[in-house]
Amino acid sequence: GNSVTQMEGPVTLSEEAFLTINCTYTATGYPSLFWYVQYPGEGLQLLLKATKADDKGSNKGFEATYRKETTSFHLEKGSVQVSDSAVYFCALRVYGGATNKLIFGTGTLLAVQP
Amino acid sequence: ETGVTQTPRHLVMGMTNKKSLKCEQHLGHNAMYWYKQSAKKPLELMFVYSLEERVENNSVPSRFSPECPNSSHLFLHLHTLQPEDSALYLCASSQAIGTPTVGDTQYFGPGTRLTVL
């Protein structure tokens, strides 16, 4: 079946530190991969996505590369800010079927300290 | 109002109450979704509507009853809930259900925090 595994949090970093949040997936077919972010008290927002192998998604200084050989889509940022504190969700979608639904990971809480 | 809005933001109800959650999208989208977000569990897709027709029901108990009267509004009617139904209920919309080249990015509302006593 299709599933997403991401590292458990919380991840606590100091401001300007390097961030990596690991995400691996299992999928039949050729999934599109996504990172969503949920700030406190808000809904999920799409952060970035990649639709095929070796694509790199990027937004707001965050990057993730679709690695088919390792079935991974790790999220990285070179220098985190306090405002990046949020829960980050990795997700996949395999196209086919009635709804092409998103499959989410459990989320990783990131806390950035000044 | 822009984006996806949900009301109420917080709801406390007893197990014998009947209540409804409301979602409204101002994006001109044709597909709408209900998700359940529980602590330490992945988001669970509950229902999907496309052009006001339900296209997915993910084995959700009948005490949750969705309604989509038009493409801009989605309701979740609740009755005789259980304490384990306490969670954050998220609504989302997308232009279509479609393929990567069609507008299938989902836009989420802020959620309704539901507590069942």
Side-chain angles (χ1 to χ4, degrees):
Chain A
N2 302 315
S3 65
V4 174
T5 302
Q6 56 183 112
M7 59 191 292
E8 288 202 23
V11 174
T12 303
L13 296 173
S14 298
E15 208 165 19
E16 300 183 2
F18 186 85
L19 168 71
T20 299
I21 300 178
N22 290 336
C23 172
T24 57
Y25 67 90
T26 302
T28 55
Y30 301 95
S32 291
L33 301 173
F34 305 81
W35 277 101
Y36 278 82
V37 58
Q38 185 177 31
Y39 298 103
E42 298 183 15
L44 278 69
Q45 302 174 27
L46 178 66
L47 181 59
L48 53 86
K49 70 177 183 181
T51 57
K52 62 184 188 296
D54 299 325
D55 269 1
K56 178 186 281 188
S58 61
N59 186 26
K60 300 182 181 180
F62 290 89
E63 293 182 340
T65 302
Y66 188 139
R67 301 283 188 204
K68 189 177 177 188
E69 63 277 14
T70 54
T71 61
S72 65
F73 192 55
H74 305 320
L75 182 68
E76 297 182 335
K77 186 175 185 182
S79 176
V80 293
Q81 306 300 313
V82 172
S83 57
D84 294 325
S85 298
V87 181
Y88 292 81
F89 293 89
C90 186
L92 70 82
R93 166 176 276 160
V94 177
Y95 292 86
T99 59
N100 303 322
K101 61 185 179 183
L102 280 169
I103 307 295
F104 286 89
T106 53
T108 302
L109 173 63
L110 170 66
V112 180
Q113 298 175 337
Chain B
E1 294 268 23
T2 57
V4 182
T5 58
Q6 291 186 242
T7 54
R9 294 293 307 274
H10 300 271
L11 178 62
V12 179
M13 60 187 288
M15 289 192 284
T16 58
N17 292 156
K18 288 185 180 181
K19 296 287 185 183
S20 295
L21 310 185
K22 179 182 176 182
C23 175
E24 185 172 0
Q25 59 95 0
H26 309 269
L27 300 168
H29 289 168
N30 292 317
M32 297 188 77
Y33 310 76
W34 278 118
Y35 287 87
K36 177 182 179 182
Q37 185 179 16
S38 305
K40 302 202 184 296
K41 292 176 66 175
L43 266 73
E44 301 171 51
L45 180 65
M46 300 174 73
F47 301 104
V48 181
Y49 277 81
S50 176
L51 297 171
E52 299 137 52
E53 179 181 344
R54 190 190 310 179
V55 295
E56 180 141 352
N57 175 347
N58 253 9
S59 303
V60 179
S62 60
R63 56 186 184 269
F64 295 92
S65 174
E67 178 190 2
C68 187
N70 55 61
S71 60
S72 299
H73 293 87
L74 184 65
F75 295 89
L76 189 63
H77 303 300
L78 317 170
H79 70 98
T80 59
L81 294 191
Q82 304 298 311
E84 59 265 29
D85 296 322
S86 298
L88 182 68
Y89 288 85
L90 292 167
C91 173
S93 71
S94 64
Q95 183 181 340
I97 287 175
T99 65
T101 55
V102 178
D104 69 339
T105 297
Q106 293 183 23
Y107 295 83
F108 285 79
T112 295
R113 174 68 64 186
L114 174 67
T115 303
V116 182
L117 301 176

